[in-house]
Amino acid sequence: MKPASRAVHAGRDLGARSPLAPDLSPAAVHVFTDLDDYDAVARGERAGHYYGRNSNANREMLERAVAELEGAEAGVATASGMSALHGAILALAPRPTTIVATRELYGGTASLLRQDLEPAGYEVHFVNLSDLDTVSRALPGAGLVIAETITNPLCHVPDLEAIGAMTREKGVAFLVDNTFATPLLCRPLELGATAVMHSATKYLGGHSDLVAGVAVGDAPTMGLARARAARTGTTLSPFDAWLALRGLRTLDVRMKRHSENSLALARALREMAGVTRVHHPLLDGPNHVLPHGSGGMMAFDLEGGRHAVQRMIKRFSLVTFAASLGGVETTISYPEITSHRSMSPEERAELGVGPGTVRVSVGLEDPEDIVADFAQAVAP
Ligand SMILES: Cc1ncc(COP(=O)(O)O)c(C=O)c1O
């Protein structure tokens, strides 16, 4: 099956009289009449569910679907992208070790590494993953590398295949946050990653109406992540799993439209007065190629800094300011006070994030309407 068909069908087996759309199963607990049967289900040796924190039919469907789409053996769905990331890190590197992470990391991930893992004994090195010599120098002694397929907010695309080959050679685990690209545009496991995670809050869900995360990888690693999620109670609720799976069904058509619209907006913004730089995975190098499109994420720098950004927001009639991404509506975010607020101005400047940097999550509206709203909002 091609990825588009997989997005529509993955995660369930339809038979005679099956509901075409999955039933919602909110039950917290299932009834048993046979102690051996309970024992076999609780040990995971027999299919079934016994307690909602450990497993649930809707969650299982979502886990299977994302694992299938990413080409993984297994998946774990959790209460947020952050808990999927945390669970994947602890499954891949259960004891304090050195973590090499992209310096352009999502702010929440950087905070988790600095505020939770470093105090627990992990050492974290933030490096430029687009520079393969730097990666090679950072690997000896490391236990885990963390990358993002498309970085936030400047949309750089590292060479995951080259990093995957290096980490394999050195026996270092490699975790990729594939939230921005989705498995329709990039499948990091095929490029050498050990595990992949998503904030399903974004494109997988796609409608800004749920918070969820999914990690996928080999069955033993995901078994560890699932057991910890059950112990720590970070598993995903049935309704959010149901919603995420419903969103996933249209992922292919949405990602195609997001990709077309972001490219149209990036090209138009390049011609607008006051826009000093446009950051787009396919226009702004040096980026590794994403052959099936790059999704809806892009950024630009506006002359005049925070004041100009505020003026643009006040003038928008269709676009809104919202600190998330991946939904059907075009939204902007202002990294200085959202994703990168925990950094100092100097740290942001080193990355290339300035007071005029605006991140855009380009939605599914008609591209002419999106371009027109930006044109009138940034006009002098
Ligand atoms: C790239 C990336 N990874 C992880 C996360 C965290 O996901 P969640 O908010 O679902 O916990 C986000 C959230 O913005 C994100 O953008």
Side-chain angles (χ1 to χ4, degrees):
M1 240 197 270
K2 298 265 198 301
S5 316
R6 239 183 246 147
V8 175
H9 293 281
R12 66 190 166 154
D13 308 304
L14 291 180
R17 293 188 294 277
S18 296
L20 186 55
D23 284 334
L24 174 63
S25 175
V29 65
H30 287 66
V31 172
F32 285 78
T33 55
D34 184 302
L35 296 180
D36 290 341
D37 186 34
Y38 178 92
D39 226 11
V41 171
R43 277 202 303 268
E45 288 164 3
R46 196 171 292 164
H49 307 286
Y50 61 107
Y51 186 57
R53 177 158 47 75
N54 296 76
S55 78
N56 163 273
N58 297 107
R59 197 186 306 141
E60 190 177 89
M61 258 185 257
L62 177 66
E63 290 169 342
R64 277 180 56 197
V66 179
E68 254 180 73
L69 279 169
E70 289 283 7
E73 281 175 8
V76 181
T78 60
S80 68
M82 289 316 299
S83 48
L85 182 91
H86 191 206
I89 292 173
L90 292 184
L92 294 169
R95 280 178 202 84
T97 182
T98 298
I99 297 178
V100 175
T102 171
R103 61 180 192 163
E104 294 179 64
L105 208 53
Y106 164 62
T109 307
S111 297
L112 177 83
L113 295 177
R114 282 187 176 134
Q115 293 173 34
D116 298 284
L117 294 185
E118 279 187 338
Y122 290 78
E123 195 172 310
V124 185
H125 297 164
F126 294 97
V127 305
N128 177 5
L129 287 190
S130 295
D131 178 350
L132 295 178
D133 288 338
T134 304
V135 180
S136 164
R137 281 197 300 277
L139 284 186
L144 174 67
V145 172
I146 303 178
E148 292 176 1
T149 319
I150 302 172
T151 66
N152 177 11
L154 301 181
C155 297
H156 294 133
V157 184
D159 186 345
L160 296 182
E161 198 166 5
I163 301 169
M166 285 191 222
T167 51
R168 289 214 158 188
E169 195 197 315
K170 294 271 186 291
V172 179
F174 183 27
L175 172 62
V176 177
D177 181 337
N178 200 26
T179 298
F180 278 25
T182 82
L184 270 300
L185 305 181
C186 180
R187 283 181 293 284
L189 295 176
E190 292 173 2
L191 303 175
T194 323
V196 168
M197 60 70 53
H198 287 271
S199 166
T201 316
K202 318 297 193 233
Y203 287 112
L204 298 190
H207 296 75
S208 306
D209 54 9
L210 63 97
V211 173
V214 183
V216 300
D218 63 55
T221 307
M222 291 303 115
L224 293 173
R226 173 173 297 106
R228 181 170 274 118
R231 285 196 302 275
T232 54
T234 57
T235 40
L236 181 62
S237 80
F239 184 52
D240 283 341
W242 185 92
L243 272 180
L245 192 70
R246 180 190 164 107
L248 194 67
R249 298 308 184 204
T250 56
L251 185 62
D252 182 69
V253 282
R254 285 189 286 110
M255 291 315 285
K256 286 195 170 99
R257 178 67 173 236
H258 283 301
S259 298
E260 286 165 16
N261 282 2
S262 77
L263 205 50
L265 178 63
R267 289 199 169 115
L269 279 165
R270 276 176 153 188
E271 309 303 323
M272 291 181 201
V275 174
T276 54
R277 186 150 181 208
V278 173
H279 310 270
H280 186 281
L282 305 184
L283 297 181
D284 186 49
N287 284 328
H288 204 65
V289 177
L290 290 168
H292 306 294
S294 66
M297 299 311 297
M298 53 157 297
F300 63 95
D301 295 326
L302 196 56
E303 207 169 45
R306 187 172 176 139
H307 175 72
V309 174
Q310 178 62 74
R311 194 181 68 155
M312 176 183 73
I313 290 169
K314 283 249 163 24
R315 285 178 169 184
F316 277 141
S317 63
L318 172 139
V319 179
T320 51
F321 167 75
S324 188
L325 63 109
V328 295
E329 307 89 352
T330 297
T331 58
I332 64 138
S333 152
Y334 185 51
E336 187 168 289
I337 62 162
T338 56
S339 54
H340 290 60
R341 68 175 300 136
S342 63
M343 287 184 181
S344 67
E346 293 74 28
E347 283 175 312
R348 281 194 295 269
E350 207 181 311
L351 292 180
V353 176
T357 304
V358 175
R359 188 188 77 185
V360 192
S361 171
V362 186
L364 304 182
E365 302 93 340
D366 189 296
E368 281 184 25
D369 290 330
I370 301 170
V371 169
D373 204 27
F374 275 94
Q376 63 80 23
V378 304

